[in-house]
Amino acid sequence: MDSLNILMENYQAFEETQIKDRFFKHADLLKILDKLKANSAFNLREAGRSTNGLSINLITWGKGPKRVFLWSQMHGDEATATMSIADLLNFLSEPGQFQQIHDLLIEKCTFYILPMVNPDGAEVFNRRNAMDIDINRDFHRQQSPEGRILSHLRDEIKPHFGFNLHDQSTLWSAGNIGNPATISLLAPAYDEELSINSTREQAMRVIVIMNSAIQKTIPGKVGRFDDEYEPRAFGDNFQAAGTSTILIEAGGFYNDPEKQYIRRIYFKAILSGLISIADESYLKAITKDYFSIPENKKLHFHLLLRNCKLERNGIPYKLDIGLCKEENVTKDARSIKYTYMVTELGDLSAYFGYEEINCEFFNLTQTKKIKIDEPADLIVHDGTNILLTIENGVLTSINIE
Ligand SMILES: [Zn+2]
């Protein structure tokens, strides 16, 4: 795994520069896939069409006996994994000084990669498909063409391993010590009892390897995703069908709204998992270590104002204010406008903020009265210097260490 760390130091050699934020579209992805056509190691085929008729493409690579199926962005606004896959494809195309990793993977594995399962959702940066169906709740009914494609491919490929690639809310924390869950991992359950058979156990073992690889880069910022059986989800059903399925969720990291740092960690998570499948190092992993990954807890705010001094009816009181950035997609679906919403008030001493201000020795002016679930409109200052201004939900100035 040391070579993987060196590889990460040379990441710019693989990073797909055509993608710079989360808002790339189907046409952008096609340009990236086009580059692979000149490389005979890749096989590309259209697996089917989305509700609005956009192609969903399967990339096959490798000549080994271990079949690994990776699919991304079945939720259209969860783009991180597709970015990491673009980088992975570049790595597989031209591994440079990391030929050994490339050779191991190509000899031992065959990868089936289905990026952007929900191109219609990506087009408008929306979770759901063009029928307003959440594809990941459509396993049984299969009303969405996207869900049918995914399901048929699993039946056809019969993969040993599956990588189910998503993004989660940036408000999740890894355990309760103040770190965001930058990456969360899960071996989804295949029944209500959350039983563990050998299929699920293999997934847990691979996750143990992935966790230890990314802990080196983001110590303490890996969480275990909520372990609850969802009978309508693909991961849970693929696990039941005998594909050892690994869920990866991209969460948040400091000052990385477009997830350009996280995409690298996500790439490392995927690649470490793939290497461990290829060299079978996962077989030595202990499932107990899977359960020691701290569970996700929702303890984060985007901005936390601690110890604010307020007054009501002449009575002074102390209040923590938790604010979350609401994301509103712009008309062209190429960017986001943020609105800071007041989401919790009171004693938030057990909670954390990506940004925090201790307002104990400052004044808080409420331009509009602070109300839960409404946009914030306030100024934090010391009489002369302004630390923070939020105007009708829009952050207009921040001046903290
Ligand atoms: Zn998702």
Side-chain angles (χ1 to χ4, degrees):
M1 282 292 162
D2 281 347
S3 54
L4 182 56
N5 290 319
I6 300 167
L7 189 153
M8 292 306 293
E9 283 164 23
N10 292 277
Y11 199 85
Q12 69 288 350
F14 314 109
E15 191 155 26
E16 178 49 64
T17 52
Q18 290 189 55
I19 299 180
K20 295 184 178 68
D21 57 40
R22 293 175 290 159
F23 308 107
F24 57 91
K25 308 298 179 205
H26 180 257
D28 303 310
L29 178 65
L30 288 189
K31 276 185 221 154
I32 290 163
L33 298 189
D34 263 348
K35 292 193 297 182
L36 304 176
K37 287 180 181 158
N39 188 329
S40 62
F42 291 95
N43 184 282
L44 266 84
R45 75 169 165 99
E46 186 178 307
R49 295 247 157 187
S50 70
T51 307
N52 286 345
L54 297 176
S55 65
I56 300 172
N57 298 286
L58 181 73
I59 305 145
T60 310
W61 181 92
K63 43 196 178 190
K66 284 184 191 136
R67 297 183 298 279
V68 185
F69 184 26
L70 305 99
W71 63 98
S72 75
Q73 214 170 346
M74 63 196 297
H75 294 134
D77 58 352
E78 299 178 8
T80 308
T82 308
M83 300 192 242
S84 307
I85 282 178
D87 301 342
L88 179 69
L89 293 170
N90 283 343
F91 170 73
L92 298 176
S93 299
E94 284 184 56
Q97 57 175 304
F98 305 100
Q99 191 69 38
Q100 256 186 328
I101 297 178
H102 167 278
D103 292 352
L104 170 76
L105 296 174
I106 206 166
E107 294 302 331
K108 300 289 184 189
C109 299
T110 303
F111 299 151
Y112 301 84
I113 305 173
L114 193 71
M116 200 185 270
V117 175
N118 181 6
D120 299 341
E123 224 48 31
V124 289
F125 205 66
N126 186 7
R127 175 182 176 88
R128 292 165 183 263
N129 80 345
M131 299 164 164
D132 272 330
I133 287 180
D134 182 336
I135 298 167
N136 206 24
R137 301 290 179 268
D138 191 37
F139 178 83
H140 291 293
R141 285 208 178 158
Q142 300 211 1
Q143 293 303 295
S144 64
E146 301 87 359
R148 284 197 293 274
I149 290 166
L150 198 50
S151 205
H152 289 163
L153 281 177
R154 202 221 74 88
D155 293 346
E156 183 190 311
I157 298 163
K158 295 190 174 52
H160 300 98
F161 288 91
F163 284 74
N164 185 11
L165 307 174
H166 291 256
D167 282 62
Q168 67 182 1
S169 160
T170 52
L171 300 174
W172 287 104
S173 324
N176 55 9
I177 57 165
N179 289 325
T182 303
I183 297 285
S184 294
L185 302 166
L186 183 78
Y190 56 87
D191 63 11
E192 290 284 355
E193 292 71 38
L194 313 179
S195 314
I196 302 171
N197 61 6
S198 69
T199 303
R200 190 169 177 224
E201 194 183 333
Q202 305 305 332
M204 289 176 173
R205 287 174 193 263
V206 174
I207 286 173
V208 168
I209 303 284
M210 292 162 63
N211 176 50
S212 82
I214 56 175
Q215 286 285 356
K216 291 195 180 86
T217 320
I218 47 163
K221 298 179 187 67
V222 185
R224 189 151 44 88
F225 194 74
D226 181 28
D227 197 0
E228 201 179 301
Y229 177 58
E230 171 48 71
R232 299 170 298 168
F234 280 78
D236 305 51
N237 283 288
F238 284 8
Q239 196 87 273
T243 293
S244 295
T245 303
I246 293 151
L247 172 74
I248 312 180
E249 299 270 354
F253 193 78
Y254 306 96
N255 303 313
D256 190 24
E258 289 313 316
K259 305 203 176 188
Q260 296 305 299
Y261 176 67
I262 300 175
R263 94 191 244 186
R264 296 179 168 216
I265 313 301
Y266 205 107
F267 168 97
K268 192 183 189 190
I270 294 175
L271 188 56
S272 62
L274 296 174
I275 292 171
S276 82
I277 290 167
D279 68 10
E280 297 193 331
S281 54
Y282 76 93
L283 291 171
K284 288 181 223 122
I286 305 162
T287 47
K288 183 169 71 74
D289 293 342
Y290 170 82
F291 290 101
S292 65
I293 302 171
E295 280 182 285
N296 276 357
K297 297 207 159 51
K298 222 165 210 173
L299 299 178
H300 265 76
F301 296 100
H302 291 124
L303 175 61
L304 180 50
L305 306 178
R306 296 192 190 273
N307 307 313
C308 302
K309 294 174 295 183
L310 297 176
E311 207 181 278
R312 182 71 46 96
N313 303 329
I315 306 164
Y317 61 101
K318 184 169 81 173
L319 184 76
D320 301 330
I321 305 173
L323 301 122
C324 294
K325 288 191 285 185
E326 198 178 83
E327 295 197 340
N328 301 294
V329 184
T330 53
K331 235 181 179 170
D332 63 359
R334 290 270 175 189
S335 64
I336 287 278
K337 281 211 164 73
Y338 293 105
T339 306
Y340 278 82
M341 304 293 289
V342 176
T343 53
E344 190 52 285
L345 297 168
D347 178 0
L348 302 178
S349 38
Y351 291 77
F352 309 96
Y354 281 91
E355 309 259 22
E356 296 192 4
I357 303 177
N358 181 0
C359 298
E360 199 176 349
F361 304 109
F362 297 101
N363 301 311
L364 187 136
T365 301
Q366 306 181 51
T367 315
K368 243 191 248 151
K369 204 156 101 182
I370 291 166
K371 262 193 168 168
I372 223 151
D373 293 333
E374 293 208 356
D377 211 338
L378 53 85
I379 302 166
V380 178
H381 59 97
D382 67 358
T384 42
N385 299 311
I386 292 176
L387 270 83
L388 174 80
T389 312
I390 299 175
E391 295 176 68
N392 194 24
V394 181
L395 180 75
T396 50
S397 80
I398 185 161
N399 183 25
I400 55 173
E401 293 292 289

